[in-house]
Amino acid sequence: MMRKKVLERYKVPRKTFGKNLLAAFSLLIFSTCSVKKYIPEDELLYTGAELEINVPDSLKDKIKDLSNLRSELEEVLRPEPNSKFLGVYWGLRAHYKAQKEKPGFINRFLNKKIGEEPAYTSKVDISRTEDIIRNRLENRGFFYSDVDSRLEEHDKKKKAEAFYTVNIPQPYTMEKYVVDDDSVPVIDEIKKNIRKWIIKPGMRFDLDAMKAERERLDRVVKNKGYYNFSPDFLIFEADTNQYDNKKFDLFLRLKKDVPEKSTVPYQIREVTVYPNYRVSSDTIASDTLVLNDKNYVQPGEDFFKARRLDPFIKIGKGQYYSPEVSRNTSRRLTSIGTYKFVNIRYDEIDSLATDTTRALAASIFLSPMNKRSLRAELQAVAKSNNFIGPNLATTLTNRNLFKGGEIVNITASVGYEMQFASGNNTGLNSLQLGLKTDLIFPRVLSPIRIKENWFEYAIPKTKVSMGIDYLRRSELYSLVTASSSFGYIWDANRYITHEYNPISLNYVNLANTTPAFEDILNQNPFLRNSFNQQFIAGFTYSFTYNGMVDQYKKHQLFINSTLDVAGNTLDLFSASGNERPRTFLGLEYSQYAKLDLDIRYHLRLGRDKKLATRLFAGLGVPYGNSDIMPYSKLFFSGGPYSVRAFRIRSLGPGTFNPENDTNQTTFFDQTGNLRLEFNMEYRFPIFSYVKGALFADAGNVWNTADNEALPGGKFSGNFMKELGIGGGAGLRVDIQGFVVRLDLAAPWHTPWLPEGERWNFGFKDPILNFAIGYPF
């Protein structure tokens, strides 16, 4: 019966029913999702507007920002048409369905989440839109512009579309920029800072540029002490009387009747700090300590030692008021990690100041977080190599441990995983136990005296870490890893972070190995050597530039590079002689240099639309006491944060084929000491907090030396032909920055297949990746 109805409705011949089944199904879907039948008889659905901008040939080379001008004019085209996805008005359809007499729970829910009010032509006022377009053009210097519009209606389709045509005239350009003379001090300060950064001769009349210039001058004079100044006190005037060829002179002056207190600078005469401020506290009965002309007020016993807090406070007695110094102080105090709120308040005070200066009292209120906290995280881990199991981590935090902003984190973790549906390895399990302690000092601990005031943006932190991990893999081995480090972390500015660990120690002890695992090690000497290097001692340095803190910029860049060098110092103090490997305190140690580079570039293509790319390159070079990198320092490829069309740690090295590995050595991660990878992803909204993505990944790992146990794994000039390449689509549920990600990927180019057969586009065997957070 269903088949007959479909045939009759869409006139599909019975003989070609099977051939046209997909077409018939598509017609059925789009017919079901049509909103035409819901549109009232006296209305038409507004489908949007098209904008045509005509520029004379003589002006095309002079107007450099035509694309920006178009974007600005398109933003004023109102109303916004209803959104479509795959040709269907999903949001509008959800709205109409919810208006039924008995819409049902599902329709009400969908309307709440994705529903959209219909945009009808009755809401379109093209005359008003014309006026707004002219206004925007005048703000950009195009006075007396010609703007035409029309509304094109399609009664049968119940739709209408607007068309706007703009003819751009010659713009007005500036000849001179002058500040009017005045006797008040603030005008002298303004004249000193007119550097023509924004306003400069030859530029087109631009209202937004003038607003930006007022804001810039306001910031400049406020940082010179003008506490009560406002950008609204400044006014621009354009004079075209001197010219007859669309030129003008621009004058900046102070408005009349500006309060006198707004035109003179203020000095800081008092600084009072409340290190343990609570709304209900009695500050009158508190004790006061004076240090470096600052009053530290704390009730009873000190909560935070004044000498430890003082370097973070840049506001000082005798300084001129400066919002920049206030922001710097607030940022530095917040970075300690002890305080929940930092509030800086200024009050005008009577003083014996002259007529050209006035006085302020600065009060800094610091509200602490809870001194102790306990956080527990329970995760259900499902890895791409079929290991599944729970993972529990508990962290105890103590803030302001020694009353100087010190923070200690103690984390205990336990995890259990079992492997399912993996051939002969089914039933393998692993148990992991861990204990780690981090002690963070909000200052520099060093045998060399380093003054905190050397660091303008932020004071470096000293971090001391110690940890121990136990890993037991059934039927194979047990591994105990002890680690410790001492180093510094500091922000050079808003974008750049440095992390330097002059001391980094790792001890690895492989124990309880089974005969089966010993056979694997005997067949792969490189793998045995990587486990033999029990002691890793060296230093690490990491540089990060994070331009993605500016989320709304069109171009966003992220760069991270890490240098890891180990074994050089130990080599100087190890046992004498030329025999290798040498030992230190009876332990074989690693000697290597490792460098990696991670570059990410994001291009915003519109609201919630983005093209994200990443390039990763890494190389580790063993030398001296080592023939191979330590197992924990090798690179891997594949998985939800790498080449997603291949399972985690299953790609490479090179053209190595794991299916030909009769000795099952590939139960262990397929690793290499060289890695190259490129990723690209187009991200777009679907509805509400659900996002979509289309992506492509390419990459692999290689070894720089021959390894008989991993044939085809050595890096060569043919590396481009040895890349694992794949792509797919994904869904992301993004709720206020917490992202749950599903990516379905298929391999396009499989490096271990014979040449000529590697481009196989394996859509029949896709891989589903589940992860938390974006991949890059």
Side-chain angles (χ1 to χ4, degrees), residues 524-533 588 627-630:
N524 192 340
F526 275 73
L527 184 62
R528 178 180 289 279
N529 289 339
S530 69
F531 278 108
N532 285 342
Q533 300 176 68
E588 182 180 330
D627 295 323
I628 188 173
M629 298 283 292

Side-chain angles (χ1 to χ4, degrees), residues 395-415:
T395 301
L396 174 65
T397 299
N398 189 312
R399 301 179 181 88
N400 200 29
L401 183 63
F402 305 122
K403 300 182 179 181
E406 304 84 4
I407 297 176
V408 60
N409 295 313
I410 302 174
T411 301
S413 61
V414 56

Side-chain angles (χ1 to χ4, degrees), residues 137 233 325 338 402 437 501-502 537 663:
L137 290 169
F233 296 154
V325 172
T338 301
F402 305 122
T437 301
N501 293 304
N663 298 318

Side-chain angles (χ1 to χ4, degrees), residues 543-726:
F543 167 87
T544 301
Y545 172 85
N546 185 12
M548 294 183 183
V549 294
D550 296 326
Q551 297 182 8
Y552 298 102
K553 279 191 173 182
K554 183 175 183 178
H555 304 281
Q556 302 168 14
L557 182 66
F558 173 93
I559 301 174
N560 174 262
S561 183
T562 301
L563 175 65
D564 182 358
V565 179
N568 291 346
T569 303
L570 292 182
D571 206 50
L572 297 175
F573 296 97
S574 62
S576 60
N578 295 323
E579 293 186 5
R580 298 286 181 175
R582 294 180 178 179
T583 60
F584 180 78
L585 300 178
L587 299 174
E588 182 180 330
Y589 60 88
S590 300
Q591 194 170 8
Y592 65 87
K594 179 183 177 183
L595 178 67
D596 61 56
L597 178 65
D598 186 347
I599 302 176
R600 307 177 188 183
Y601 170 70
H602 290 185
L603 174 64
R604 290 188 73 241
L605 301 174
R607 185 177 180 181
D608 292 334
K609 295 180 181 178
K610 181 181 291 186
L611 181 66
T613 61
R614 176 179 66 174
L615 173 66
F616 183 92
L619 175 64
V621 180
Y623 60 90
N625 206 50
S626 299
D627 295 323
I628 188 173
M629 298 283 292
Y631 189 73
S632 60
K633 299 293 182 178
L634 292 170
F635 297 107
F636 66 88
S637 188
Y641 299 93
S642 181
V643 184
R644 284 162 279 187
F646 298 85
R647 297 191 183 279
I648 189 169
R649 302 172 185 251
S650 68
L651 181 58
T655 61
F656 172 70
N657 187 352
E659 296 178 359
N660 294 337
D661 182 29
T662 57
N663 298 318
Q664 296 185 352
T665 59
T666 57
F667 172 77
F668 300 94
D669 306 333
Q670 295 165 228
T671 57
N673 65 316
L674 188 154
R675 176 185 170 196
L676 293 174
E677 190 169 300
F678 178 76
N679 313 86
M680 181 168 60
E681 182 171 285
Y682 172 61
R683 300 169 184 168
F684 55 89
I686 297 179
F687 60 86
S688 186
Y689 46 79
V690 179
K691 318 293 182 184
L694 300 173
F695 58 85
D697 307 312
N700 207 336
V701 295
W702 294 266
N703 289 309
T704 54
D706 284 319
N707 183 348
E708 294 181 359
L710 299 172
K714 186 177 180 181
F715 184 76
S716 68
N718 293 322
F719 72 93
M720 291 293 291
K721 298 179 180 179
E722 300 174 359
L723 294 174
I725 304 175

Side-chain angles (χ1 to χ4, degrees), residues 104 115 130 171 183 229 232 294 362 367 458 467 470 484 540 602 616 649 659 684 697 712 722:
E130 278 188 27
S183 60
F229 193 76
D232 293 334
K294 302 181 187 73
S367 301
Y470 169 79
S484 63
T540 62
H602 290 185
F616 183 92
R649 302 172 185 251
E659 296 178 359
F684 55 89
D697 307 312
E722 300 174 359

